[in-house]
Amino acid sequence: MTEANGNPGSPAGRFYLTTPIYYVNARPHLGHAYSTIVCDAVARRKRALGIETWFLTGTDEHGQKIERSAKLAGCSPQEFADRIAGEFRGLWDRLELTYDDFIRTTEERHVRRVQHLFATLRDRGYIYKGRYAGQYCVSDEAYVDGPPGTICPDCGRVTETVSEENYFFKLSAFERRLLEFYEANPGFMGPESTRREVISFVRSGLRDLSVSRTTFDWGIPVPGDERHVIYVWLDALANYATAIGYGSDDPKDQEKFRKFWPADIHLIGKEISRFHCVYWPAFLMAAGVALPRSVRANGWLLFDQGKMSKSRGNIVRAETVHEVLGADALRYFLLREIPFGQDGNFTFEALVQRYNGDLANGYGNLVSRVVNMVHKYCGGVAPEAGAATPAETTLRAHAEAAIAVFGPAFDQLNFSEALKSLWLLVAATDIYLTANAPWKKTPERSDAEHAALQARVLATAAEAIRVITALAYPILPDAAAKVWRQLGQGELADAAKNGFLIHLAWGGLQPGTKFGEPAPLFPRAEKDAVERMQKLEDENNRTAVEAASANGVSEATIAPAAPPAAAAIQAAEAPVPAPAAPAAAKKATEPLAPQASAAAPAPAAVEAPASVIEGAAHITIDDFAKVELRVAQILVAERVPKADKLLRLEVDLGYEKRQILAGIAQHYEPEKLIGRKIVIVANLAPRKMRGLESNGMLLAASLEGGAPVLAGFLEDVPLGARLK
Ligand code: ME8
């Protein structure tokens, strides 16, 4: 494999890195911000090393999932995509992320170039027409092996049965070539767990891949056969090449593509490794295009024990952290706390602890002490250090070690180690300062000796701060820019453009440099910071749920429609279960109550335990006919904030959609419910819980002492069908 493009010393001196392009079916959250912030930090360091860098991000806007989300929101897919893509871009701008291009897959430039790629693959004999009959996971936009009803192994949702004419890509032809490529390029994918997983996937055998769909429209038409739209992953993966000019006729685009391709790093979340390490290289091999130099997978940001994701309802928004502690605090926490490649927990408590410990009391306090003393004792001008004593030699050695360790660790994406080593220098500088106490005049020192000590110690500490700041810049760009000014070094943004990191070495702070005014960097976070962030999130959740229930616009990941679900699905429960009145206690004439509580769901279509039906009084067929039982499909399922037991569901009855609240949150993961076909009591009078209206009730077997089990079907049933 060739040397990584753009690394220091690389002849090319260029670096191209990408984030995944994010689906526009849900708003951005901290998980998305994590990947994008990692890329931003890398891009900033590369630029500061004088390397011509191109940082691409964007949004993935086609496919069945987005089409359905838009339908549910009552707008066109394009309007829907415009809105959410705007939110992603707006957030990246607010966080001052330095992306060079933001590609949207609905842009004309992308559409035409993807068609070019498709035509190239077809012309080169790697695409043929066939028929796909199998399972498809709409949420992951992925084909899944197995019979109808198979659960997607990646996300746990029910797959849909697809049977249609498709174009196929000859993926099977690349099995051996891919394995040889991985073998020859051990650095191609990482971390090691990803590498192992991908290799074992390819070794287990590759089957040809369906790369077009005919049963919906929201995609890029296959050139020459517009009944088909191109498979959304082929469309999406191609963004990395189309955005920098692949497939364009314009010589300027072609020049750009030659300049930046192949990408140095595709940074992704670990769940999409297969698409990036198997499909994408195979498409490129087939098209005769060079392969990316590396794919690097970040682990998952976890919150409340689970992967942070909208459908789980456990997201935190980057805006919240930004508002309370600032963007640098978020960047530092994510890169310092989570060893890159591993999963990491996000908690407000840990964030505040790191912020106060490392930034407010650590780096921030150090800068403030030194800059203030230079103003107080040295007239605001960098003093001449004079001859070094062993203390200065030791601190200098610490700084040189930090320079030596930080760069390679960072360039391996080992941000946590890089920062750990740099903060050792923060600590060493603090200790040095305290040990030499330039603020303390002792009787045994003459005035001249004291002035010399002050000059030596403050010049040395300020130089250490300069080194720390230069290295920390990609992670703390805002704070670093302020410190740079305070040290009289001018605008860091300009310095970064001029590759100030190339020559970073001890001794750059010139005596006589006029310092800028001291300015606070990281004010200590008060005790209520955690509560403030929590409150902002709660308020946001509440507004989102209310807005969703008011407009019928989904806040959660939107559901795939599902094939016949496996027999037992999930149970319906009202949030405040009424005591289960045994049917036997009811009078024969009593109608099956619409007010039937969740704990005692009307058992119409579900066989109740013998103990319950034994001796049950009879009802007439007319009594039964009063209960309107219908087949519905769960489109959206999410937790109701501050209600442990409640899930808010949006269900589709075919003829209408409605919201139902169900007290099953302790027994079912909301994201696993999506797509399930269930039975609901459709004519139950609406009622309000937690300020939200519930229009109907789910049916379930109410097992004695056990979890509820939802009623479902073995065969496929149309939505809205009445149970009689
Ligand atoms: O998969 N922890 O888009 P997506 C860490 N459109 N990273 C997270 C995360 C979490 N909890 N949640 C999201 C797609 N991410 C496709 C990609 S690329 C050609 C097409 C980050 O909106 C992580 O980078 O589901 C993950 O891979 C990406 O967001 C998924 O975003």
Side-chain angles (χ1 to χ4, degrees):
M1 183 161 145
T2 48
E3 193 185 346
N5 190 11
N7 276 342
S10 148
R14 289 185 199 111
F15 199 88
Y16 175 35
L17 84 164
T18 64
T19 69
I21 49 169
Y22 304 109
Y23 285 130
V24 290
N25 68 311
R27 293 185 170 141
H29 58 70
L30 219 49
H32 305 114
Y34 177 38
S35 302
T36 318
I37 284 173
V38 166
C39 282
D40 182 69
V42 173
R44 283 177 185 268
R45 180 171 155 86
K46 295 293 173 194
R47 293 190 197 106
L49 283 167
I51 294 163
E52 197 176 351
T53 300
W54 197 259
F55 164 21
L56 174 72
T57 188
T59 39
D60 189 354
E61 305 187 357
H62 287 129
Q64 211 165 359
K65 176 157 74 167
I66 310 299
E67 192 182 69
R68 285 185 183 165
S69 300
K71 201 166 160 208
L72 203 66
C75 61
S76 73
Q78 190 64 59
E79 282 164 352
F80 189 79
D82 289 349
R83 197 173 77 213
I84 307 285
E87 291 199 24
F88 272 96
R89 197 172 180 144
L91 177 61
W92 302 157
D93 290 343
R94 202 161 157 205
L95 296 175
E96 297 188 35
L97 304 184
T98 58
Y99 58 89
D100 293 289
D101 191 6
F102 187 104
I103 186 153
R104 299 183 52 189
T105 55
T106 50
E107 283 175 69
E108 185 57 28
R109 59 169 173 159
H110 176 73
V111 170
R112 270 186 284 107
R113 296 170 195 180
V114 167
Q115 289 179 324
H116 173 86
L117 173 63
F118 193 96
T120 306
L121 296 174
R122 196 172 47 193
D123 294 348
R124 291 169 68 103
Y126 291 106
I127 282 184
Y128 64 93
K129 221 177 210 176
R131 190 168 185 84
Y132 179 79
Q135 299 310 113
Y136 190 76
C137 171
V138 178
S139 178
D140 288 345
E141 298 283 12
Y143 296 93
V144 173
D145 290 338
T150 296
I151 302 291
C152 170
D154 290 331
C155 69
R157 293 184 176 92
V158 185
T159 54
E160 292 183 36
T161 304
V162 171
S163 174
E164 60 188 41
E165 183 191 74
N166 289 160
Y167 284 99
F168 280 81
F169 172 73
K170 286 188 187 167
L171 184 64
S172 57
F174 292 91
E175 198 175 300
R176 194 178 46 79
R177 280 180 68 186
L178 282 168
L179 289 170
E180 283 167 5
F181 172 76
Y182 303 148
E183 176 88 28
N185 298 281
F188 172 66
M189 50 197 171
E192 189 49 33
S193 49
T194 294
R195 189 179 144 74
R196 275 201 304 268
E197 199 183 298
V198 167
I199 292 179
S200 108
F201 175 77
V202 177
R203 280 204 186 122
S204 70
L206 293 180
R207 282 201 271 148
D208 290 353
L209 180 71
S210 161
V211 286
S212 75
R213 299 288 310 272
T214 50
T215 45
F216 65 95
D217 299 331
W218 186 237
I220 299 179
V222 164
D225 192 354
E226 311 227 326
R227 281 183 316 115
H228 291 251
V229 292
I230 295 173
Y231 175 40
V232 65
W233 270 102
L234 173 53
D235 163 351
L237 288 162
N239 92 88
Y240 302 131
T242 62
I244 53 158
Y246 169 83
S248 166
D249 300 334
D250 186 333
K252 274 205 236 110
D253 291 331
Q254 292 171 352
E255 170 57 27
K256 187 164 172 193
F257 185 66
R258 270 197 299 276
K259 184 168 173 185
F260 285 108
W261 191 259
D264 291 273
I265 299 180
H266 289 320
L267 189 122
I268 59 166
K270 65 179 180 180
E271 77 289 351
I272 52 176
S273 307
R274 187 183 1 134
F275 300 96
H276 285 79
C277 300
V278 182
Y279 298 171
W280 181 224
F283 294 151
L284 290 169
M285 282 174 180
V289 177
L291 268 48
R293 293 197 163 89
S294 75
V295 177
R296 288 281 170 279
N298 63 242
W300 286 339
L301 212 54
L302 311 174
F303 192 66
D304 289 344
Q305 316 299 321
K307 180 190 176 205
M308 195 181 283
S309 72
K310 188 75 206 180
S311 57
R312 278 176 188 263
N314 65 343
I315 63 141
V316 175
R317 295 164 320 127
E319 291 89 332
T320 293
V321 181
H322 179 250
E323 195 168 319
V324 175
L325 297 176
D328 279 5
L330 175 61
R331 296 168 71 98
Y332 181 82
F333 178 80
L334 294 173
L335 271 64
R336 172 63 183 87
E337 190 80 8
I338 306 165
F340 184 82
Q342 295 178 23
D343 293 350
N345 250 318
F346 180 88
T347 66
F348 289 127
E349 288 79 8
L351 169 69
V352 168
Q353 204 174 356
R354 274 256 171 244
Y355 173 87
N356 276 338
D358 293 6
L359 298 178
N361 298 342
Y363 175 60
N365 184 42
L366 174 69
V367 172
S368 147
R369 283 164 83 197
V370 172
V371 172
N372 276 305
M373 281 192 280
V374 168
H375 279 282
K376 190 164 171 191
Y377 303 126
C378 313
V381 169
E384 173 89 51
T389 72
E392 283 74 46
T393 312
T394 305
L395 190 62
R396 176 181 177 156
H398 269 297
E400 286 172 342
I403 295 173
V405 171
F406 185 91
F410 188 105
D411 294 338
Q412 300 285 320
L413 310 189
N414 206 342
F415 310 111
S416 185
E417 282 305 311
L419 285 169
K420 206 194 275 178
S421 73
L422 190 56
W423 255 249
L424 288 179
L425 178 59
V426 172
T429 311
D430 248 337
I431 291 169
Y432 165 79
L433 208 57
T434 308
N436 293 285
W439 56 88
K440 202 156 80 191
K441 168 88 174 70
T442 53
E444 62 273 16
R445 270 189 230 135
S446 69
D447 284 353
E449 281 168 345
H450 181 61
L453 176 132
Q454 276 185 329
R456 192 177 71 241
V457 173
L458 291 176
T460 308
E463 174 58 10
I465 289 173
R466 193 188 67 88
V467 169
I468 294 163
T469 304
L471 291 173
Y473 154 73
I475 295 129
L476 301 175
D478 187 44
K482 287 183 188 155
V483 177
W484 215 241
R485 272 180 230 125
Q486 291 179 42
L487 295 178
Q489 305 297 298
E491 288 308 308
L492 191 51
D494 297 339
K497 277 189 208 124
N498 297 326
F500 79 107
L501 268 185
I502 304 173
H503 304 298
L504 180 68
W506 182 263
L509 182 65
Q510 297 308 313
T513 304
K514 193 163 167 18
F515 271 32
E517 285 307 308
L521 289 181
F522 297 108
R524 218 188 128 69
E526 297 307 329
K527 281 209 184 73
D528 68 347
V530 169
E531 283 152 42
R532 278 169 62 210
M533 286 188 279
Q534 194 60 65
K535 204 162 152 227
L536 282 172
E537 281 304 294
D538 289 348
E539 272 163 17
N540 180 67
N541 285 339
R542 206 173 29 250
T543 334
V545 170
E546 278 164 13
S549 65
N551 322 332
V553 175
S554 165
E555 257 299 294
T557 299
I558 310 299
I569 318 183
Q570 322 200 355
E573 264 187 14
V576 194
K586 301 197 177 220
K587 286 201 211 112
T589 50
E590 197 177 12
L592 249 183
Q595 72 273 17
S597 84
V606 186
E607 219 176 294
S611 61
V612 177
I613 48 175
E614 220 173 302
H618 293 126
I619 59 165
T620 67
I621 192 75
D622 292 342
D623 292 333
F624 174 68
K626 286 180 184 154
V627 185
E628 192 185 325
L629 300 170
R630 288 194 185 271
V631 178
Q633 183 170 43
I634 300 178
L635 297 178
V636 174
E638 60 191 16
R639 293 183 194 280
V640 174
K642 302 234 157 112
D644 293 353
K645 296 184 184 149
L646 264 197
L647 289 185
R648 188 184 78 84
L649 308 174
E650 280 174 38
V651 302
D652 189 357
L653 281 156
Y655 55 91
E656 70 173 48
K657 299 196 178 72
R658 50 165 88 180
Q659 172 171 284
I660 295 183
L661 300 176
I664 55 174
Q666 288 172 326
H667 303 287
Y668 293 99
E669 298 272 330
E671 65 272 19
K672 301 223 168 125
L673 284 174
I674 291 172
R676 297 233 164 168
K677 282 184 179 168
I678 51 166
V679 180
I680 70 161
V681 182
N683 60 342
L684 192 64
R687 54 193 193 136
K688 274 208 158 180
M689 299 171 215
R690 303 261 169 187
L692 299 171
E693 194 168 271
S694 183
N695 284 296
M697 189 177 77
L698 316 191
L699 277 201
S702 180
L703 307 184
E704 275 179 299
V709 180
L710 277 185
F713 300 91
L714 282 171
E715 289 84 17
D716 199 7
V717 279
L719 298 185
R722 181 138 188 212
L723 279 81
K724 299 190 238 185

